[in-house]
Amino acid sequence: MSLDSRSILELAREMDLDDRRVAERARRLMDVPAPPAEDPAPLIEVLRCLDLTTLEPDDTPDRVRALCARARSLDPSPAAVCVLPHLVEVAARELGGSGIRVAGVAGDFPAGEAPLDRKVAEVRRVREAGAGEVDVVIDRRALLERGPSAALDEVRSLVEAAEGALVKVILETGALDARASAEGALAALAAGAAFVKTSTGKRQPGATSERALVLMEAVRAVEAAGGPSGGVKVAGGVRTPEQAL
């Protein structure tokens, strides 16, 4: 089923996005008891879902090589190593044959406000450099001013430019209210994003349980409406095994 901007707005209206009730649902979610300490399976699954990440302005090839070596040493292996665009090729060489994907940020990270043609070109460069995953930054200003139709058009172009790479769409939910977060997530998923992602990690607040829950509920809403399945990447604030679980 194809979702247009009108159906996305209808799905958002059907979601309970009242801040107080969202906070209460998130609190209950975070209060779920942790599994027994003698059962390692849940934490092993957490490790398999991690992206080891370095996205600092002063990152160097040596720093990326060290991070890739760390990723290769872990058992279980993480899902990916995430790096800046100009270091994707380094990571791809270091991780070749390991089964660990290279994720490159693109689309004017972390601001996301560059013209679409520049964002598309950067996604293509990252893909050609060896990224199997591309973490793109949505234009939040366009989303807030023009609604989900802007996000639909933008993400479709970025997914097409990724040429089959898994695309994760960063919403920077710390800068959005619950409704805008939901509309952006619904639009990104409808446009072909594999994941919606809370944060760049470059501004506060990053990930919160409230906004992570809104994104999860958006994924469920799209699936229930017959749209594509998707995932959520919670980034920018998870610091402990308990939070991850």
Side-chain angles (χ1 to χ4, degrees):
M1 176 182 177
S2 177
L3 298 173
D4 60 16
S5 57
R6 179 175 297 179
S7 57
I8 287 167
L9 287 171
E10 290 174 357
L11 285 179
R13 280 194 290 269
E14 292 170 1
M15 296 174 66
D16 183 356
L17 298 171
D18 175 81
D19 285 335
R20 181 182 59 80
R21 291 192 292 270
V22 169
E24 177 58 24
R25 294 199 303 278
R27 185 194 64 75
R28 292 198 303 269
L29 183 70
M30 296 300 285
D31 282 346
V32 172
E38 61 271 17
D39 179 10
L43 276 176
I44 288 173
E45 188 62 24
V46 166
L47 291 172
R48 287 183 175 138
C49 292
L50 283 179
D51 286 3
L52 295 191
T53 301
T54 182
L55 297 171
E56 299 302 324
D58 61 350
D59 278 347
T60 64
D62 283 345
R63 183 179 294 174
V64 170
R65 291 186 191 103
L67 188 64
C68 291
R70 182 184 176 198
R72 295 187 73 131
S73 73
L74 294 175
D75 184 17
S77 298
V81 171
C82 186
V83 297
L84 293 168
H86 67 285
L87 292 166
V88 164
E89 190 171 357
V90 175
R93 285 197 302 269
E94 295 298 311
L95 294 174
S98 69
I100 302 169
R101 292 190 179 198
V102 177
V105 294
D108 189 35
F109 181 89
E113 294 183 349
L116 182 57
D117 59 343
R118 282 176 47 194
K119 297 174 80 168
V120 164
E122 187 172 49
V123 169
R124 286 179 177 149
R125 287 196 301 272
V126 164
R127 180 68 173 116
E128 290 167 0
E133 301 184 4
V134 185
D135 289 27
V136 300
V137 186
I138 201 170
D139 186 339
R140 296 185 303 282
R141 184 177 302 176
L143 171 66
L144 292 171
E145 292 177 354
R146 294 162 40 211
S149 62
L152 267 173
D153 293 342
E154 178 184 20
V155 176
R156 280 176 181 149
S157 295
L158 298 176
V159 168
E160 182 180 356
E163 297 180 342
L166 184 152
V167 174
K168 305 195 285 290
V169 173
I170 306 170
L171 298 169
E172 199 71 274
T173 54
L176 301 172
D177 63 16
R179 184 159 299 278
S181 297
E183 290 179 359
L186 292 166
L189 294 161
F195 281 77
V196 284
K197 179 175 171 180
T198 55
S199 176
T200 61
K202 298 300 183 184
R203 64 173 292 159
Q204 295 299 322
T208 65
S209 57
E210 291 85 359
R211 291 296 178 267
L213 180 59
V214 167
L215 300 195
M216 290 184 240
E217 291 177 341
V219 167
R220 286 198 308 205
V222 170
E223 292 179 350
S229 298
V232 175
K233 179 175 179 181
V234 183
V238 179
R239 294 288 180 266
T240 69
E242 292 76 19
Q243 287 175 323
L245 289 168

